[in-house]
């Protein structure tokens, strides 16, 4: 007789703990994206703002 | 005596002492000694947290349970992984910010006192008493585990093994404080991680392939393949509920408080989760493949499955490294707990009650003496490894979870929480854990139905729930939160965590 893992065991092994790793990696990417966006905003704040641009022109 | 293993052990101890020396040179004040000056980075923070929270259970207990009962034991690993993740996710950043805003609190009892402006100091006394009592038994139990490993590896007497092991741990913890504990935990966590990858991979390669292993294990007992074999709903809930314990473990919470920034906590959480999940899987598969590998000559003590694999599959140098991994798991937990217990004695009790205006130099001396004092107490307890006193460690995980878990969560997130509510919650949590455990233990030789509580449910569940209810009920009964406390709470809310 050939034995295999029951479906419930496969789910218990492959879902909860690996999912935590996926969540962690996603949040890591999200944070680095937010940091990048903030850095970009800091690098070019006045000219990016339409009113500030007008004031610069005038 | 195996001289190759001895060489590996001595080299490892030399590295630990060197780290202790480097940490000593970097430590200039009490905040450095207790919290590493809140300068912990995400990599060291993440991995060292894993090493300190996972004791010898990770390399001995979990593989042993899987080897003995099969995959139905994985629920505890799942519960712990989820609990740890949620703790990082919700408690981590908030407590990092709140402890700094609340008069730069360096310890958990300090935080409770500052958070609620508790002039009676009752929160400080109760919290530090729980820490000292539970950790004394925890540390002692860890020393017993380390001494038994030394004794078995080198064939020396238990007492010699206990003294040698204790001197090493006390040495680097006392001298180097938090930096030493965090850096050695990082090293130890890395060793544990590697060991838990190497062993199952080598075991699987030796047995054949995955299908062959599963088939062999199934032919021994099909129940070993089933995660629900021999379980009940309450049994699975009890195993998953181990994860609740994380919310109240002072040696884990202190790592959040010591991180450099809240951003580092997000990165640290990811590193920790990858470490934790990989290590738990490594432990699970060590036990699982052990069922097939040792089928012809079953192990007398299931908890030795990791050590047996280390000895039969590898050359003596690698075996030495793998045995160091077991010792690392034990030492990393003891050193972290030792530091927290010492800070409770020096910062919370000595500075809090005896010498409020003590100088930094005096406090540094007192905290180092506290490490020594608690260690000596733990060593005396460990002299008799069969002592029934040591069985009190069984209450420690659930005890911390129920005493501090709801108290920390509600202090951080609920504006209406009061000092009396937190005090009631701590006491109710601690009493419930001990009472529930005693009342659900049947008389010797009798079944569960003979106990006062005729069903099994891990005591952390009622302890956590009753503690939570007590905090809410008492806080709402007489809500006298001062404007100063509310303003501080709002300031934490307003900070972009």
């Amino acid at each position: 007789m050939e034995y295999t893992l029951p479906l419930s065991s496969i789910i218990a092994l492959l879902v909860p703990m690996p999912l935590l790793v996926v969540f962690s990696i996603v949040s890591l990417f999200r944070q680095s994206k937010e940091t990048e966006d903030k850095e970009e905003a800091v690098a070019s704040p006045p000219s990016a703002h339409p009113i500030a641009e007008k004031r610069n022109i005038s | 005596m195996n001289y190759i293993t001895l060489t590996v052990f001595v080299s490892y101890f030399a590295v630990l002492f060197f780290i202790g020396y480097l940490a000593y040179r970097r430590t200039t004040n009490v905040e450095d000694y207790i919290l590493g000056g809140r300068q912990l980075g995400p990599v060291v923070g993440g991995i060292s947290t894993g090493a300190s929270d996972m004791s010898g259970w990770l390399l001995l207990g979990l593989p042993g349970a899987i080897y003995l009962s099969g995959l139905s034991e994985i629920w505890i690993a799942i519960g712990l992984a989820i609990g740890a993740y949620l703790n990082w996710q919700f408690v981590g950043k908030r407590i990092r910010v709140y402890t700094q805003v609340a008069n730069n609190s360096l310890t958990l009892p300090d935080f409770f006192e500052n958070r609620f402006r508790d002039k009676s100091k009752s929160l400080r006394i109760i919290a530090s008493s729980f820490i000292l009592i539970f950790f004394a038994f925890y540390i002692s139990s860890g020393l017993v585990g380390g001494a038994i490993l030394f004794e078995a590896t080198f064939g020396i007497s238990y007492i010699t093994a206990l003294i040698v092991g204790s001197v090493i741990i006390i040495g680097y913890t006392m001298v180097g404080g938090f930096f030493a504990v965090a850096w050695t935990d990082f090293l130890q966590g890395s060793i544990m991680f590697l060991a838990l990858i190497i062993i199952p991979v080598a075991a699987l390669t030796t047995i054949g392939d995955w299908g062959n292993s599963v088939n062999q294990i199934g032919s021994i007992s099909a129940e070993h393949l089933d995660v629900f074999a021999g379980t009940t709903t309450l049994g699975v809930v009890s195993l998953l509920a181990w994860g609740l314990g994380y919310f109240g473990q002072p040696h884990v919470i202190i790592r959040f408080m010591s991180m450099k920034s809240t951003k580092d906590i997000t990165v640290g959480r990811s590193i920790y989760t990858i470490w934790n999940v990989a290590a738990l899987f490594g432990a699970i598969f060590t036990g699982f493949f052990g069922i097939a590998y040792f089928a012809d000559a079953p192990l007398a003590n299931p908890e030795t499955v990791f050590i047996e694999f280390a000895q039969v599959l590898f050359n003596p140098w690698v075996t030495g490294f793998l045995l160091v991994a077991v010792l690392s798991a034990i030492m990393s937990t003891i050193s972290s707990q030792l530091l927290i217990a010492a800070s409770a004695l020096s910062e919370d009790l000595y500075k809090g009650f005896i010498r409020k205006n003590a100088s930094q130099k005096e406090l540094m001396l007192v905290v180092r003496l506290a490490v020594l004092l608690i260690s000596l107490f733990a060593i005396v307890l460990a002299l008799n490894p069969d002592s029934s006193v040591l069985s009190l460690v069984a209450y420690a995980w659930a005890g911390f979870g129920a005493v501090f878990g709801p108290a920390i969560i509600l202090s951080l997130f609920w504006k209406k929480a009061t000092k009396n509510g937190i005090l009631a919650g701590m006491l109710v949590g601690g009493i419930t854990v001990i009472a529930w455990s005693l009342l659900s233990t049947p008389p010797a030789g009798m079944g569960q139905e003979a106990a006062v509580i005729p069903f099994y449910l891990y005591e952390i569940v009622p302890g956590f729930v009753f503690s939570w209810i007590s905090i809410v009920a008492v806080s709402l009964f007489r809500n006298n939160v001062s404007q100063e406390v509310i303003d501080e709470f709002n300031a934490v809310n307003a900070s972009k965590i």
Side-chain angles (χ1 to χ4, degrees):
Chain A
M1 187 180 169
E2 192 78 9
Y3 290 94
T4 54
L5 280 185
L7 184 61
S8 55
S9 299
I10 294 171
I11 293 171
L13 281 170
L14 292 183
V15 177
M17 291 202 281
L19 213 54
L20 295 175
V21 174
V22 173
F23 286 155
S24 298
I25 293 169
V26 168
S27 68
L28 204 57
F29 277 114
R30 197 182 292 161
Q31 176 165 298
S32 69
K33 178 85 174 58
E34 275 172 15
T35 311
E36 263 176 37
D37 290 348
K38 273 182 193 166
E39 278 168 5
E40 275 175 26
V42 169
S44 54
S47 59
H49 198 286
I51 295 173
E53 268 179 333
K54 269 187 189 173
R55 280 179 185 161
N56 281 345
I57 291 164
S58 65
Chain B
M1 188 180 285
N2 184 330
Y3 286 98
I4 293 178
T5 309
L6 184 66
T7 308
V8 176
F9 270 58
V10 170
S11 312
Y12 168 66
F13 295 147
V15 173
L16 294 183
F17 277 126
F18 182 64
I19 292 173
Y21 169 71
L22 291 179
Y24 171 76
R25 291 190 57 176
R26 198 175 156 175
T27 304
T28 54
N29 55 41
V30 177
E31 187 174 2
D32 282 349
Y33 195 88
I34 293 176
L35 274 186
R38 296 192 196 255
Q39 288 299 311
L40 201 60
V43 179
V44 175
I47 293 177
S48 71
T49 306
S52 70
D53 98 57
M54 289 292 180
S55 60
W57 172 83
L58 182 68
L59 285 85
L60 306 177
L62 180 59
I66 298 280
Y67 172 79
L68 190 66
S69 308
L71 290 178
S72 60
E73 293 289 332
I74 69 164
W75 296 108
I76 190 169
I78 293 173
L80 288 173
I82 294 172
Y85 182 86
L86 294 177
N87 197 30
W88 276 87
Q89 174 76 24
F90 294 108
V91 174
K93 292 180 182 179
R94 185 91 179 176
I95 202 159
R96 169 68 180 82
V97 172
Y98 218 144
T99 50
Q100 199 157 21
V101 171
N103 200 23
N104 194 23
S105 309
L106 298 184
T107 65
L108 212 46
D110 205 16
F111 167 64
F112 285 128
E113 182 173 298
N114 292 329
R115 160 74 173 82
F116 295 100
R117 305 293 192 275
D118 177 21
K119 291 192 174 67
S120 72
K121 296 192 179 293
S122 46
L123 282 174
R124 184 184 286 272
I125 295 173
I126 297 292
S128 44
S129 302
F130 273 117
I131 287 175
L132 279 172
I133 294 167
F134 282 136
F135 272 155
F137 295 112
Y138 233 137
I139 293 163
S140 191
S141 168
L143 289 177
V144 171
I148 290 172
L149 179 72
F150 264 126
E151 189 185 15
T153 308
F154 299 114
I156 53 178
S157 76
Y158 173 80
I159 299 294
T160 311
L162 177 67
I163 291 169
V164 171
S166 304
V167 165
I168 293 161
I169 299 169
I170 297 164
Y172 70 76
T173 307
M174 195 169 97
V175 169
F178 186 88
F179 286 126
V181 170
W183 292 340
T184 53
D185 281 1
F186 170 70
L187 172 75
Q188 290 159 338
S190 306
I191 294 172
M192 289 157 67
F193 182 83
L194 277 177
L196 283 167
I197 302 293
I198 292 170
I199 291 240
V201 168
L204 179 64
T205 314
T206 311
I207 297 166
D209 58 16
W210 170 255
N212 187 27
S213 309
V214 171
N215 201 32
Q216 273 192 55
I217 294 163
S219 62
I220 294 164
S221 168
E223 290 199 338
H224 281 149
L225 302 176
D226 185 359
V227 285
F228 289 111
T231 61
T232 59
T233 307
L234 280 184
V236 172
V237 168
S238 289
L239 291 176
L240 288 173
W242 276 75
L244 286 176
Y246 272 110
F247 296 102
Q249 301 299 316
H251 57 301
V252 175
I253 300 292
I254 202 85
R255 297 296 157 118
F256 301 146
M257 292 160 60
S258 63
M259 298 288 278
K260 202 184 290 178
S261 71
T262 53
K263 273 183 191 169
D264 284 333
I265 291 180
T266 307
V267 183
R269 182 186 67 210
S270 304
I271 291 167
Y272 170 86
T273 305
I274 293 166
W275 182 95
N276 197 29
V277 169
L280 285 168
F281 269 123
I284 289 167
F285 287 121
T286 298
F288 190 65
F289 295 137
I291 301 170
Y293 190 89
F294 299 107
D296 296 332
L299 303 174
N301 179 2
E303 292 201 350
T304 60
V305 60
F306 179 94
I307 293 173
E308 292 289 338
F309 265 139
Q311 286 171 339
V312 297
L313 292 180
F314 303 97
N315 76 50
W317 291 100
V318 183
T319 302
F321 172 80
L322 295 169
L323 292 177
V324 159
V326 180
L327 198 61
S328 293
I330 296 168
M331 292 173 88
S332 55
T333 305
I334 297 175
S335 61
S336 304
Q337 294 172 339
L338 198 51
L339 195 65
I340 306 292
S343 66
L345 202 60
S346 59
E347 187 72 13
D348 296 325
L349 298 180
Y350 182 80
K351 189 186 166 195
F353 291 96
I354 301 170
R355 294 265 295 169
K356 203 172 181 180
N357 298 317
S359 68
Q360 286 289 315
K361 198 177 169 187
E362 181 181 341
L363 287 172
M364 290 280 280
L365 179 68
V366 171
V367 73
R368 286 194 165 111
L369 287 174
V371 170
L372 193 63
L373 195 69
I374 293 159
S375 305
L376 290 175
F377 180 71
I379 291 169
V380 170
L381 282 179
L383 284 174
N384 178 10
D386 301 321
S387 166
S388 57
V389 176
L390 284 178
S391 64
L392 290 173
V393 75
Y395 297 124
W397 183 266
F400 274 135
V403 169
F404 292 129
I408 290 172
I409 294 171
L410 291 170
S411 296
L412 293 176
F413 294 100
W414 194 40
K415 200 188 285 190
K416 290 181 177 172
T418 64
K419 181 205 98 178
N420 288 339
I422 296 297
L423 202 57
M426 282 184 189
L427 291 171
V428 168
I431 292 166
T432 306
V433 163
I434 295 170
W436 190 279
S437 176
L438 293 174
L439 294 176
S440 61
T441 305
M446 298 180 81
Q448 183 66 51
E449 60 284 351
V452 177
I453 299 171
F455 56 90
Y456 175 73
L457 178 64
Y458 183 34
E459 52 268 22
I460 200 170
V461 180
F464 202 93
V465 171
F466 292 164
S467 171
W468 190 289
I469 292 170
S470 307
I471 295 172
V472 173
V474 173
S475 297
L476 290 178
F477 177 69
R478 190 157 176 257
N479 199 276
N480 51 354
V481 184
S482 69
Q483 192 56 44
E484 191 186 3
V485 170
I486 292 173
D487 289 344
E488 189 176 86
F489 187 93
N490 290 337
V492 174
N493 268 353
S495 68
K496 289 178 181 172
I497 294 176

